[in-house]
mmCIF file of all heavy atoms in Angstrom:
data_model
loop_
_atom_site.group_PDB
_atom_site.id
_atom_site.type_symbol
_atom_site.label_atom_id
_atom_site.label_comp_id
_atom_site.label_asym_id
_atom_site.label_seq_id
_atom_site.Cartn_x
_atom_site.Cartn_y
_atom_site.Cartn_z
ATOM 1 N N TYR K 93 2.654 1.560 -4.270
ATOM 2 C CA TYR K 93 3.820 2.427 -3.987
ATOM 3 C C TYR K 93 3.510 3.855 -4.406
ATOM 4 O O TYR K 93 3.249 4.098 -5.583
ATOM 5 C CB TYR K 93 5.069 1.936 -4.732
ATOM 6 C CG TYR K 93 6.263 2.818 -4.443
ATOM 7 C CD1 TYR K 93 7.027 2.589 -3.305
ATOM 8 C CD2 TYR K 93 6.569 3.904 -5.257
ATOM 9 C CE1 TYR K 93 8.098 3.427 -3.004
ATOM 10 C CE2 TYR K 93 7.629 4.738 -4.956
ATOM 11 C CZ TYR K 93 8.391 4.504 -3.833
ATOM 12 O OH TYR K 93 9.429 5.337 -3.513
ATOM 13 N N PRO K 94 3.422 4.759 -3.441
ATOM 14 C CA PRO K 94 3.917 4.609 -2.065
ATOM 15 C C PRO K 94 2.846 4.389 -0.998
ATOM 16 O O PRO K 94 3.179 4.173 0.170
ATOM 17 C CB PRO K 94 4.570 5.973 -1.827
ATOM 18 C CG PRO K 94 3.672 6.928 -2.566
ATOM 19 C CD PRO K 94 3.211 6.174 -3.805
ATOM 20 N N ASP K 95 1.549 4.449 -1.343
ATOM 21 C CA ASP K 95 0.519 4.657 -0.329
ATOM 22 C C ASP K 95 0.416 3.557 0.722
ATOM 23 O O ASP K 95 0.407 3.840 1.925
ATOM 24 C CB ASP K 95 -0.849 4.836 -0.997
ATOM 25 C CG ASP K 95 -0.912 6.056 -1.895
ATOM 26 O OD1 ASP K 95 -0.123 7.002 -1.678
ATOM 27 O OD2 ASP K 95 -1.735 6.062 -2.832
ATOM 28 N N ALA K 96 0.279 2.291 0.296
ATOM 29 C CA ALA K 96 0.004 1.219 1.262
ATOM 30 C C ALA K 96 1.157 1.032 2.240
ATOM 31 O O ALA K 96 0.931 0.725 3.418
ATOM 32 C CB ALA K 96 -0.287 -0.085 0.526
ATOM 33 N N ARG K 97 2.377 1.256 1.777
ATOM 34 C CA ARG K 97 3.538 1.029 2.645
ATOM 35 C C ARG K 97 3.904 2.249 3.489
ATOM 36 O O ARG K 97 4.751 2.142 4.387
ATOM 37 C CB ARG K 97 4.740 0.612 1.801
ATOM 38 C CG ARG K 97 5.290 1.709 0.906
ATOM 39 C CD ARG K 97 6.543 1.266 0.165
ATOM 40 N NE ARG K 97 6.280 0.171 -0.740
ATOM 41 C CZ ARG K 97 7.230 -0.549 -1.341
ATOM 42 N NH1 ARG K 97 8.506 -0.273 -1.128
ATOM 43 N NH2 ARG K 97 6.914 -1.531 -2.146
ATOM 44 N N ASN K 98 3.309 3.381 3.187
ATOM 45 C CA ASN K 98 3.676 4.629 3.859
ATOM 46 C C ASN K 98 2.708 4.905 5.010
ATOM 47 O O ASN K 98 1.535 5.199 4.783
ATOM 48 C CB ASN K 98 3.620 5.779 2.849
ATOM 49 C CG ASN K 98 3.998 7.120 3.460
ATOM 50 O OD1 ASN K 98 4.306 7.205 4.646
ATOM 51 N ND2 ASN K 98 3.963 8.161 2.658
ATOM 52 N N PRO K 99 3.165 4.834 6.269
ATOM 53 C CA PRO K 99 2.253 5.021 7.390
ATOM 54 C C PRO K 99 1.673 6.435 7.473
ATOM 55 O O PRO K 99 0.680 6.661 8.173
ATOM 56 C CB PRO K 99 3.114 4.706 8.615
ATOM 57 C CG PRO K 99 4.518 4.927 8.160
ATOM 58 C CD PRO K 99 4.547 4.548 6.712
ATOM 59 N N TYR K 100 2.269 7.373 6.733
ATOM 60 C CA TYR K 100 1.767 8.750 6.742
ATOM 61 C C TYR K 100 0.759 9.007 5.625
ATOM 62 O O TYR K 100 0.143 10.074 5.585
ATOM 63 C CB TYR K 100 2.942 9.724 6.613
ATOM 64 C CG TYR K 100 3.895 9.632 7.781
ATOM 65 C CD1 TYR K 100 5.088 8.934 7.670
ATOM 66 C CD2 TYR K 100 3.585 10.221 9.005
ATOM 67 C CE1 TYR K 100 5.959 8.828 8.748
ATOM 68 C CE2 TYR K 100 4.451 10.125 10.090
ATOM 69 C CZ TYR K 100 5.631 9.429 9.954
ATOM 70 O OH TYR K 100 6.479 9.325 11.024
ATOM 71 N N ALA K 101 0.574 8.055 4.722
ATOM 72 C CA ALA K 101 -0.416 8.193 3.663
ATOM 73 C C ALA K 101 -1.784 7.778 4.195
ATOM 74 O O ALA K 101 -1.921 6.735 4.841
ATOM 75 C CB ALA K 101 -0.031 7.330 2.461
ATOM 76 N N PHE K 102 -2.789 8.592 3.932
ATOM 77 C CA PHE K 102 -4.159 8.318 4.387
ATOM 78 C C PHE K 102 -4.162 7.894 5.862
ATOM 79 O O PHE K 102 -4.538 6.768 6.208
ATOM 80 C CB PHE K 102 -4.812 7.248 3.505
ATOM 81 C CG PHE K 102 -4.733 7.554 2.028
ATOM 82 C CD1 PHE K 102 -4.096 6.688 1.150
ATOM 83 C CD2 PHE K 102 -5.294 8.717 1.519
ATOM 84 C CE1 PHE K 102 -4.014 6.975 -0.203
ATOM 85 C CE2 PHE K 102 -5.224 9.010 0.157
ATOM 86 C CZ PHE K 102 -4.582 8.142 -0.699
ATOM 87 N N PRO K 103 -3.725 8.791 6.757
ATOM 88 C CA PRO K 103 -3.593 8.420 8.181
ATOM 89 C C PRO K 103 -4.900 7.969 8.817
ATOM 90 O O PRO K 103 -4.883 7.264 9.830
ATOM 91 C CB PRO K 103 -3.068 9.710 8.829
ATOM 92 C CG PRO K 103 -3.430 10.810 7.879
ATOM 93 C CD PRO K 103 -3.352 10.202 6.508
ATOM 94 N N GLU K 104 -6.030 8.348 8.214
ATOM 95 C CA GLU K 104 -7.319 7.909 8.769
ATOM 96 C C GLU K 104 -7.483 6.395 8.697
ATOM 97 O O GLU K 104 -8.248 5.810 9.484
ATOM 98 C CB GLU K 104 -8.477 8.600 8.029
ATOM 99 C CG GLU K 104 -8.647 8.233 6.562
ATOM 100 C CD GLU K 104 -7.797 9.038 5.592
ATOM 101 O OE1 GLU K 104 -6.817 9.682 6.049
ATOM 102 O OE2 GLU K 104 -8.108 9.021 4.397
ATOM 103 N N LEU K 105 -6.789 5.746 7.759
ATOM 104 C CA LEU K 105 -6.901 4.287 7.663
ATOM 105 C C LEU K 105 -6.332 3.610 8.914
ATOM 106 O O LEU K 105 -6.840 2.573 9.353
ATOM 107 C CB LEU K 105 -6.191 3.774 6.415
ATOM 108 C CG LEU K 105 -6.780 4.204 5.069
ATOM 109 C CD1 LEU K 105 -5.962 3.628 3.922
ATOM 110 C CD2 LEU K 105 -8.242 3.781 4.952
ATOM 111 N N LEU K 106 -5.287 4.202 9.476
ATOM 112 C CA LEU K 106 -4.733 3.686 10.729
ATOM 113 C C LEU K 106 -5.522 4.188 11.928
ATOM 114 O O LEU K 106 -5.927 3.407 12.799
ATOM 115 C CB LEU K 106 -3.266 4.086 10.860
ATOM 116 C CG LEU K 106 -2.567 3.669 12.162
ATOM 117 C CD1 LEU K 106 -2.624 2.149 12.346
ATOM 118 C CD2 LEU K 106 -1.124 4.153 12.184
ATOM 119 N N ALA K 107 -5.796 5.490 11.953
ATOM 120 C CA ALA K 107 -6.436 6.079 13.129
ATOM 121 C C ALA K 107 -7.865 5.577 13.316
ATOM 122 O O ALA K 107 -8.285 5.293 14.451
ATOM 123 C CB ALA K 107 -6.429 7.606 12.995
ATOM 124 N N ASP K 108 -8.603 5.475 12.226
ATOM 125 C CA ASP K 108 -10.024 5.125 12.333
ATOM 126 C C ASP K 108 -10.311 3.641 12.130
ATOM 127 O O ASP K 108 -11.324 3.133 12.622
ATOM 128 C CB ASP K 108 -10.847 5.920 11.306
ATOM 129 C CG ASP K 108 -10.755 7.425 11.521
ATOM 130 O OD1 ASP K 108 -10.391 7.837 12.635
ATOM 131 O OD2 ASP K 108 -11.020 8.175 10.566
ATOM 132 N N GLU K 109 -9.428 2.948 11.367
ATOM 133 C CA GLU K 109 -9.721 1.563 10.999
ATOM 134 C C GLU K 109 -8.654 0.578 11.462
ATOM 135 O O GLU K 109 -8.806 -0.629 11.263
ATOM 136 C CB GLU K 109 -9.897 1.464 9.472
ATOM 137 C CG GLU K 109 -11.017 2.365 8.946
ATOM 138 C CD GLU K 109 -11.159 2.301 7.436
ATOM 139 O OE1 GLU K 109 -11.077 1.181 6.879
ATOM 140 O OE2 GLU K 109 -11.333 3.358 6.806
ATOM 141 N N GLY K 110 -7.570 1.091 12.055
ATOM 142 C CA GLY K 110 -6.523 0.213 12.573
ATOM 143 C C GLY K 110 -5.731 -0.516 11.506
ATOM 144 O O GLY K 110 -5.178 -1.596 11.774
ATOM 145 N N LEU K 111 -5.652 0.070 10.310
ATOM 146 C CA LEU K 111 -4.982 -0.600 9.193
ATOM 147 C C LEU K 111 -3.540 -0.107 9.072
ATOM 148 O O LEU K 111 -3.264 0.989 8.583
ATOM 149 C CB LEU K 111 -5.751 -0.347 7.889
ATOM 150 C CG LEU K 111 -7.167 -0.931 7.845
ATOM 151 C CD1 LEU K 111 -7.889 -0.479 6.579
ATOM 152 C CD2 LEU K 111 -7.127 -2.451 7.929
ATOM 153 N N ASP K 112 -2.616 -0.951 9.530
ATOM 154 C CA ASP K 112 -1.198 -0.613 9.473
ATOM 155 C C ASP K 112 -0.682 -0.662 8.041
ATOM 156 O O ASP K 112 -1.245 -1.339 7.173
ATOM 157 C CB ASP K 112 -0.390 -1.607 10.317
ATOM 158 C CG ASP K 112 -0.629 -1.430 11.802
ATOM 159 O OD1 ASP K 112 -0.787 -0.274 12.237
ATOM 160 O OD2 ASP K 112 -0.674 -2.451 12.522
ATOM 161 N N ALA K 113 0.426 0.020 7.820
ATOM 162 C CA ALA K 113 1.080 0.019 6.512
ATOM 163 C C ALA K 113 1.473 -1.402 6.107
ATOM 164 O O ALA K 113 1.748 -2.256 6.959
ATOM 165 C CB ALA K 113 2.311 0.917 6.554
ATOM 166 N N TRP K 114 1.499 -1.632 4.794
ATOM 167 C CA TRP K 114 1.838 -2.953 4.265
ATOM 168 C C TRP K 114 2.598 -2.792 2.951
ATOM 169 O O TRP K 114 2.220 -1.987 2.094
ATOM 170 C CB TRP K 114 0.586 -3.792 4.020
ATOM 171 C CG TRP K 114 0.901 -5.139 3.420
ATOM 172 C CD1 TRP K 114 0.741 -5.526 2.115
ATOM 173 C CD2 TRP K 114 1.465 -6.259 4.102
ATOM 174 N NE1 TRP K 114 1.155 -6.824 1.950
ATOM 175 C CE2 TRP K 114 1.608 -7.298 3.163
ATOM 176 C CE3 TRP K 114 1.855 -6.482 5.424
ATOM 177 C CZ2 TRP K 114 2.129 -8.540 3.492
ATOM 178 C CZ3 TRP K 114 2.384 -7.722 5.754
ATOM 179 C CH2 TRP K 114 2.505 -8.735 4.795
ATOM 180 N N THR K 115 3.671 -3.581 2.797
ATOM 181 C CA THR K 115 4.480 -3.546 1.577
ATOM 182 C C THR K 115 4.167 -4.751 0.706
ATOM 183 O O THR K 115 4.394 -5.897 1.113
ATOM 184 C CB THR K 115 5.981 -3.524 1.918
ATOM 185 O OG1 THR K 115 6.276 -2.335 2.663
ATOM 186 C CG2 THR K 115 6.817 -3.543 0.644
ATOM 187 N N VAL K 116 3.639 -4.501 -0.469
ATOM 188 C CA VAL K 116 3.409 -5.544 -1.483
ATOM 189 C C VAL K 116 4.736 -5.838 -2.162
ATOM 190 O O VAL K 116 5.457 -4.926 -2.562
ATOM 191 C CB VAL K 116 2.375 -5.055 -2.522
ATOM 192 C CG1 VAL K 116 2.211 -6.082 -3.637
ATOM 193 C CG2 VAL K 116 1.037 -4.763 -1.860
ATOM 194 N N ARG K 117 5.062 -7.101 -2.317
ATOM 195 C CA ARG K 117 6.367 -7.453 -2.861
ATOM 196 C C ARG K 117 6.430 -7.347 -4.382
ATOM 197 O O ARG K 117 7.478 -7.018 -4.953
ATOM 198 C CB ARG K 117 6.736 -8.883 -2.434
ATOM 199 C CG ARG K 117 6.919 -9.023 -0.929
ATOM 200 C CD ARG K 117 7.195 -10.461 -0.535
ATOM 201 N NE ARG K 117 8.434 -10.953 -1.115
ATOM 202 C CZ ARG K 117 8.823 -12.232 -1.052
ATOM 203 N NH1 ARG K 117 8.059 -13.124 -0.436
ATOM 204 N NH2 ARG K 117 9.963 -12.605 -1.599
ATOM 205 N N GLU K 118 5.307 -7.635 -5.052
ATOM 206 C CA GLU K 118 5.349 -7.664 -6.507
ATOM 207 C C GLU K 118 3.963 -7.365 -7.079
ATOM 208 O O GLU K 118 2.941 -7.687 -6.454
ATOM 209 C CB GLU K 118 5.827 -9.042 -6.983
ATOM 210 C CG GLU K 118 6.416 -9.071 -8.376
ATOM 211 C CD GLU K 118 7.316 -10.295 -8.575
ATOM 212 O OE1 GLU K 118 8.369 -10.386 -7.895
ATOM 213 O OE2 GLU K 118 6.977 -11.165 -9.398
ATOM 214 N N VAL K 119 3.930 -6.758 -8.254
ATOM 215 C CA VAL K 119 2.695 -6.501 -8.990
ATOM 216 C C VAL K 119 2.823 -7.145 -10.359
ATOM 217 O O VAL K 119 3.860 -7.022 -11.020
ATOM 218 C CB VAL K 119 2.444 -4.989 -9.158
ATOM 219 C CG1 VAL K 119 1.156 -4.742 -9.939
ATOM 220 C CG2 VAL K 119 2.393 -4.290 -7.801
ATOM 221 N N TRP K 120 1.751 -7.844 -10.798
ATOM 222 C CA TRP K 120 1.709 -8.410 -12.150
ATOM 223 C C TRP K 120 0.644 -7.664 -12.937
ATOM 224 O O TRP K 120 -0.516 -7.594 -12.521
ATOM 225 C CB TRP K 120 1.369 -9.901 -12.116
ATOM 226 C CG TRP K 120 2.447 -10.763 -11.502
ATOM 227 C CD1 TRP K 120 3.654 -10.372 -11.008
ATOM 228 C CD2 TRP K 120 2.393 -12.182 -11.317
ATOM 229 N NE1 TRP K 120 4.361 -11.448 -10.519
ATOM 230 C CE2 TRP K 120 3.608 -12.576 -10.700
ATOM 231 C CE3 TRP K 120 1.439 -13.151 -11.601
ATOM 232 C CZ2 TRP K 120 3.891 -13.907 -10.378
ATOM 233 C CZ3 TRP K 120 1.714 -14.475 -11.273
ATOM 234 C CH2 TRP K 120 2.932 -14.847 -10.679
ATOM 235 N N LEU K 121 1.054 -7.094 -14.061
ATOM 236 C CA LEU K 121 0.172 -6.280 -14.889
ATOM 237 C C LEU K 121 -0.383 -7.100 -16.046
ATOM 238 O O LEU K 121 0.378 -7.694 -16.820
ATOM 239 C CB LEU K 121 0.935 -5.072 -15.428
ATOM 240 C CG LEU K 121 1.528 -4.133 -14.370
ATOM 241 C CD1 LEU K 121 2.375 -3.056 -15.045
ATOM 242 C CD2 LEU K 121 0.441 -3.509 -13.515
ATOM 243 N N MET K 122 -1.707 -7.100 -16.177
ATOM 244 C CA MET K 122 -2.377 -7.779 -17.282
ATOM 245 C C MET K 122 -2.516 -6.830 -18.472
ATOM 246 O O MET K 122 -2.616 -5.616 -18.305
ATOM 247 C CB MET K 122 -3.774 -8.244 -16.855
ATOM 248 C CG MET K 122 -3.790 -9.184 -15.676
ATOM 249 S SD MET K 122 -5.484 -9.684 -15.227
ATOM 250 C CE MET K 122 -6.165 -8.122 -14.640
ATOM 251 N N GLY K 123 -2.562 -7.393 -19.673
ATOM 252 C CA GLY K 123 -2.780 -6.598 -20.870
ATOM 253 C C GLY K 123 -1.586 -5.776 -21.293
ATOM 254 O O GLY K 123 -1.702 -4.880 -22.140
ATOM 255 N N THR K 124 -0.434 -6.055 -20.720
ATOM 256 C CA THR K 124 0.753 -5.260 -21.000
ATOM 257 C C THR K 124 1.288 -5.497 -22.409
ATOM 258 O O THR K 124 1.249 -6.622 -22.914
ATOM 259 C CB THR K 124 1.861 -5.585 -19.991
ATOM 260 O OG1 THR K 124 3.067 -4.888 -20.348
ATOM 261 C CG2 THR K 124 2.176 -7.088 -19.977
ATOM 262 N N PRO K 125 1.829 -4.458 -23.047
ATOM 263 C CA PRO K 125 2.497 -4.666 -24.327
ATOM 264 C C PRO K 125 3.904 -5.241 -24.174
ATOM 265 O O PRO K 125 4.527 -5.630 -25.162
ATOM 266 C CB PRO K 125 2.548 -3.255 -24.931
ATOM 267 C CG PRO K 125 2.525 -2.338 -23.761
ATOM 268 C CD PRO K 125 1.697 -3.027 -22.703
#
């Protein structure tokens, strides 16, 4: 957040590699206090 879900972030990933935006539902952090 926000890059992978934002189609305007790193537009070359879509234009050159065909990688559409994707929303990750959850992140689990290791080593957290």
Side-chain angles (χ1 to χ4, degrees):
Y93 180 85
D95 298 336
R97 69 176 63 192
N98 180 0
Y100 297 101
F102 308 121
E104 66 274 17
L105 295 180
L106 177 58
D108 299 340
E109 301 178 42
L111 296 173
D112 290 323
W114 178 257
T115 298
V116 176
R117 295 176 63 188
E118 202 159 295
V119 180
W120 292 359
L121 301 174
M122 301 180 293
T124 175

